[in-house]
């Protein structure tokens, strides 16, 4: 029965407009002033769209980039190592596929080597692409391979992706009962990342591992900030992060809640941050970039994410971490039609009590494609009282400050 249910979802996603590239375009509703602001200032995105998951044809990436550039998005942090890149060979293959796809855009591409490249891309009419890894699996258990990742242009890297890796435990492992944290190998990897100028990214990593990472960084690499590249804050939604599945079920039973009750927040919670996590990163002068991933928020906004709601996510993070420590990140997968089959094929990495697939079946369709949302977000943040200086920090400045601090290799 479960297989039939999932097959039905996949079929519906393949035959309907259920992709980020086809979700509602809010651009026409934004003010001329907001559109102009976006074009005049740096705006950096983050998306997770590996080949065969986010795209299968180079033209899909080209169209996506061309629209983003046309509407003023400066560039993006692009994931080229995720669950389906288990070794160095797969990483190099993914890198080649993404570089070929991105270079097929009409827009000239500037591949980011230094922080200055973001401004140069903006000034020269180019689209800036920086490479990110959401896993340490390509290292193949050898910390010296961090240097190879750096040579291929990786600028940020997570130590885990959802599950437990050689470096530590991820959020999916955590909700299924794994309370382990950062390993000795994980510490070696951090040392190599700092040495080779790769920013430490805590997204997808369990509460226990992030706590160990920030403690280790403050002791052994004092003054080096870290980031959450795509992680909203739980308190914005009255969520309770870091619960195991059994703890969630117990809490629900005590309150007599059903899975479809509005207070059911398991999936949102396991990828969201506690105030404590956000405050620790802020104290380290780091950044929390909030994501507008719709499926992650489906229990909160099943009708889809609007620019106003995206702005509320940003505002919620600012209230916890401060204006100097928040960024934006759509975490866009480009098309959910390919995501569901991928999720099924990597079930161990998405053992979330069925939430992700269930969110798609309820109508979650995308990740707030930034070119279609950002001008509207500007209008909404202005209404909330944010200044233009505030927005330049949120949209690029804060992350660029951290990159400036972390991309210089340390002796």
């Amino acid at each position: 029965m479960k297989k039939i249910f999932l097959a039905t979802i996949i079929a519906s996603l393949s035959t309907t407009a259920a992709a980020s590239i086809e979700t509602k375009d809010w651009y026409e509703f934004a003010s001329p002033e907001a559109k102009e602001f976006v074009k005049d200032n740096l705006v950096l995105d983050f998306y997770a769209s590996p080949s065969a998951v986010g795209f299968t044809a180079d033209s899909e990436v080209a169209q996506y980039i061309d629209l983003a550039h046309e509407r003023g998005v400066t560039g993006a942090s692009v994931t080229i190592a995720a669950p389906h890149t288990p070794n160095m060979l797969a990483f190099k293959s993914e890198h080649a596929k993404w570089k070929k796809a991105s270079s097929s855009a009409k827009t000239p591409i500037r591949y980011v080597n230094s922080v200055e490249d973001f401004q140069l891309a903006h000034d020269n009419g180019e689209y800036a692409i920086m490479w990110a890894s959401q896993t340490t699996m390509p290292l193949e258990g050898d910390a010296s391979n961090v240097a190879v990742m750096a040579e291929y242009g990786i600028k940020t890297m997570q130590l885990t992706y959802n599950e437990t890796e050689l470096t530590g435990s991820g959020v999916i492992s955590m909700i299924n009962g794994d309370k382990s944290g950062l390993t000795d190998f994980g510490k070696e990897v951090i040392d190599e990342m700092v040495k080779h100028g790769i920013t430490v990214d805590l997204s997808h990593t369990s509460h226990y591992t992030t706590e160990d990472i920030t403690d280790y960084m403050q002791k052994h690499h004092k003054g080096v900030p870290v980031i959450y590249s795509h992680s909203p804050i739980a308190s914005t939604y009255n969520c309770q992060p870091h619960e195991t599945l059994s703890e969630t079920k117990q809490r629900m039973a005590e309150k007599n809640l059903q899975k479809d009750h509005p207070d059911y927040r398991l999936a949102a919670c396991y990828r969201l941050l506690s105030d404590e996590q956000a405050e620790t990163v802020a104290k380290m002068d780091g950044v929390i970039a909030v994501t507008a991933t719709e499926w992650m928020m489906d229990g909160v906004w099943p009708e889809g994410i609007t620019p106003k709601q995206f702005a509320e996510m940003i505002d919620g993070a600012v209230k916890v971490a401060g204006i100097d420590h928040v960024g934006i990140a759509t975490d866009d997968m480009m098309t959910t039609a390919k995501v569901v089959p991928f999720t099924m094929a990597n079930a161990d990495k998405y053992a979330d009590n069925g939430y992700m697939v269930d969110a798609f079946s309820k109508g979650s369709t995308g990740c707030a494609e930034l070119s279609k949302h950002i001008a509207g977000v500007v209008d909404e943040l202005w209404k909330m009282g944010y200044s233009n200086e505030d927005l330049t920090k949120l949209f690029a400045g804060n992350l660029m400050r951290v990159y400036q601090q972390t991309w210089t290799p340390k002796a």
Side-chain angles (χ1 to χ4, degrees):
M1 180 63 71
K2 186 176 181 180
K3 289 182 179 179
I4 294 174
F5 172 66
L6 292 175
T8 301
I9 294 172
I10 293 170
S12 67
L13 286 172
S14 300
T15 56
T16 61
S20 172
I21 54 175
E22 295 147 356
T23 50
K24 183 168 182 177
D25 191 343
W26 297 91
Y27 190 74
E28 65 176 297
F29 302 103
S31 70
E33 293 80 8
K35 294 175 183 177
E36 195 63 27
F37 179 87
V38 174
K39 291 181 179 181
D40 288 345
N41 293 277
L42 300 189
V43 177
L44 303 182
D45 195 8
F46 175 103
Y47 43 91
S49 47
S51 62
V53 181
F55 69 95
T56 51
D58 292 353
S59 58
E60 294 174 289
V61 174
Q63 291 166 10
Y64 192 96
I65 288 174
D66 288 338
L67 180 62
H69 180 260
E70 176 187 327
R71 293 182 175 181
V73 178
T74 309
S77 173
V78 175
T79 299
I80 59 169
H84 73 331
T85 46
N87 52 46
M88 186 60 73
L89 180 63
F91 164 75
K92 291 179 179 179
S93 175
E94 181 68 25
H95 184 277
K97 289 175 182 177
W98 239 109
K99 196 159 188 179
K100 177 175 176 288
S102 57
S103 63
S104 70
K106 294 178 182 178
T107 305
I109 304 297
R110 177 176 289 268
Y111 297 102
V112 173
N113 293 308
S114 68
V115 177
E116 290 71 27
D117 282 325
F118 293 117
Q119 186 65 54
L120 287 171
H122 177 78
D123 294 344
N124 296 332
E126 301 163 325
Y127 187 82
I129 288 181
M130 60 170 274
W131 303 121
S133 176
Q134 290 199 58
T135 175
T136 53
M137 293 295 286
L139 300 179
E140 299 180 342
D142 184 352
S144 68
N145 277 329
V146 170
V148 179
M149 303 283 277
E151 287 174 5
Y152 272 78
I154 290 294
K155 294 300 183 184
T156 68
M157 183 160 65
Q158 294 169 194
L159 269 71
T160 69
Y161 182 87
N162 285 349
E163 75 284 9
T164 297
E165 298 185 22
L166 294 176
T167 47
S169 59
V171 286
I172 292 281
S173 296
M174 179 186 70
I175 67 169
N176 284 289
D178 187 345
K179 295 186 178 181
S180 64
L182 183 67
T183 66
D184 287 341
F185 177 65
K187 294 174 183 177
E188 290 180 41
V189 170
I190 289 173
D191 293 342
E192 289 296 303
M193 289 172 67
V194 173
K195 176 181 176 181
H196 292 284
I198 297 176
T199 308
V200 176
D201 179 4
L202 306 181
S203 288
H204 284 272
T205 307
S206 80
H207 170 72
Y208 305 104
T209 305
T210 60
E211 186 174 50
D212 288 347
I213 291 172
T214 52
D215 286 348
Y216 183 80
M217 293 285 289
Q218 290 176 91
K219 183 176 180 180
H220 296 278
H221 300 289
K222 193 171 183 62
V224 179
V226 297
I227 64 170
Y228 285 98
S229 65
H230 56 298
S231 298
I233 296 181
S235 59
T236 306
Y237 319 99
N238 296 315
C239 293
Q240 297 186 34
H242 312 140
E243 290 183 328
T244 64
L245 288 173
S246 59
E247 289 169 341
T248 300
K249 291 174 181 177
Q250 180 179 350
R251 176 166 59 84
M252 290 176 65
E254 290 172 353
K255 294 186 177 182
N256 195 30
L257 302 179
Q258 301 301 312
K259 187 175 180 181
D260 59 356
H261 188 280
D263 284 347
Y264 183 72
R265 297 289 187 268
L266 172 61
C269 285
Y270 81 72
R271 277 281 285 108
L272 302 194
L273 310 178
S274 67
D275 285 3
E276 179 187 13
Q277 284 176 295
E279 288 165 353
T280 297
V281 168
K283 288 175 184 176
M284 294 174 67
D285 203 27
V287 170
I288 300 92
V290 295
T291 173
T293 303
E294 185 178 328
W295 71 262
M296 197 185 302
M297 297 288 102
D298 200 66
V300 183
W301 299 318
E303 76 282 5
I305 292 178
T306 67
K308 180 179 180 181
Q309 290 162 334
F310 195 164
E312 289 171 349
M313 298 168 79
I314 296 169
D315 183 57
V318 170
K319 288 174 179 175
V320 173
I323 191 65
D324 294 317
H325 305 289
V326 175
I328 58 171
T330 59
D331 193 25
D332 199 345
M333 290 293 292
M334 293 189 180
T335 170
T336 56
K338 300 179 183 71
V339 174
V340 175
F342 178 76
T343 303
M344 292 175 61
N346 295 273
D348 58 326
K349 303 180 192 307
Y350 297 98
D352 60 359
N353 202 31
Y355 182 94
M356 186 173 181
V357 171
D358 187 46
F360 292 135
S361 71
K362 290 190 294 186
S364 176
T365 55
C367 310
E369 186 176 352
L370 196 63
S371 65
K372 298 175 181 177
H373 278 71
I374 189 62
V377 171
V378 170
D379 280 327
E380 295 298 335
L381 290 173
W382 277 341
K383 291 176 187 175
M384 293 178 183
Y386 284 84
S387 68
N388 288 351
E389 181 184 359
D390 293 335
L391 299 194
T392 60
K393 292 180 179 182
L394 296 170
F395 293 169
N398 290 336
L399 280 170
M400 287 171 62
R401 183 196 71 247
V402 171
Y403 296 155
Q404 192 72 60
Q405 293 172 265
T406 57
W407 287 0
T408 301
K410 308 295 190 294

